[in-house]
Amino acid sequence: MKISITIFFCVYLSLWGDTVEEHLKELDSAFERCKGTFAEYPARRGKTWFVRSAFYFLEPTLIRPALLRQVADRVEADKRIRKILDDVRLGFSWRSPPAEIHVPYTPVTPEIDGQISPLEWKYALVWKGGIPLNKEWQPNDENIFWYVMYDRENLYVSASFEDNDFQIDKKEPYKGDSFELFLMGDPDMQSYWEIVVSPENDRFTGWHMAGKYGERCSRPGIAPHALRTAATKTPSGFSVEIAFPLSALSSLKGAFPFPAGEFRFMMLRTAVEKNSRIRVCVPVPFLYDGHNIYGYMKATFNKQKEN
């Protein structure tokens, strides 16, 4: 047994010596310059925990810089642990099932200009008021309206909000006052679109896929070519209109609107105050944030007025 251990360490030292860190640096350098090369696939895989853990196993000291890039100090670590445990406990005590709705068909195509015309949106399903995130309350009496409808080409979503003090983040709109829409074509695929629109029509879009262990693979900045958004400031706040092409929704059941027939979605309003306090509201009870795909509304396209 001692001879085997000795041979192992001799082989280990002859192969690696003190170069584990250099090999890791080589891999990180490859990642930075791999785009468009034949090495792109393995170079990107070099960032996975499966590969990194092999380096950390051989040289445990290398894991500390990686940890410090993720967690700055003990205070932040303690905060994250408390947050995840609080969220889990909240989820187990939650009683409101995901909302189920029927999305009406509209024979009237709305103009996507940010102005919610009553005639253009008269066929829409409408919610009034907002519910704070993580609260199982009835909608309040605020002057907030949410709309959804569809035709053969698009899903139409709009919303209007009261606000007299806009906090705009032009580079990252989701960090300022904004409206957010999350769309998932098929829950079995666990992939979904994110569209964020600010009161000045600054836009963030992205495509995400949720993994089994809570990880998220994202492609920020991409969007369907036919996606249209518009926002307008009003005397009392702002309004947003979105036309999302149904061809960009994926389902194992087929194309949208039919035969696929069903999808999942959620709408959120982020309000940022001058003191940087953030308030998020939704049309129905909903937990955590917009990436919580397990709590999205279940929507069924209504055929009644299509024929």
Side-chain angles (χ1 to χ4, degrees), residues 183-187 189-193 207-210 250 293:
L183 284 169
M184 180 167 60
D186 190 326
M189 298 176 71
Q190 297 201 335
S191 54
Y192 57 102
W193 288 102
W207 171 258
H208 310 288
M209 179 170 286
S250 300
I293 62 174

Side-chain angles (χ1 to χ4, degrees), residues 47-67:
K47 285 292 186 180
T48 64
W49 175 249
F50 176 80
V51 173
R52 311 294 283 194
S53 61
F55 287 90
Y56 301 149
F57 177 84
L58 293 176
E59 186 52 72
T61 59
L62 293 176
I63 198 172
R64 183 162 181 79
L67 289 174

Side-chain angles (χ1 to χ4, degrees), residues 194-231:
E194 176 183 6
I195 301 103
V196 183
V197 183
S198 81
E200 296 182 352
N201 202 33
D202 303 301
R203 195 168 85 178
F204 169 85
T205 59
W207 171 258
H208 310 288
M209 179 170 286
K212 178 180 179 180
Y213 298 105
E215 72 278 14
R216 186 167 73 240
C217 181
S218 300
R219 290 295 305 274
I222 67 171
H225 291 183
L227 173 67
R228 289 175 287 146
T229 67

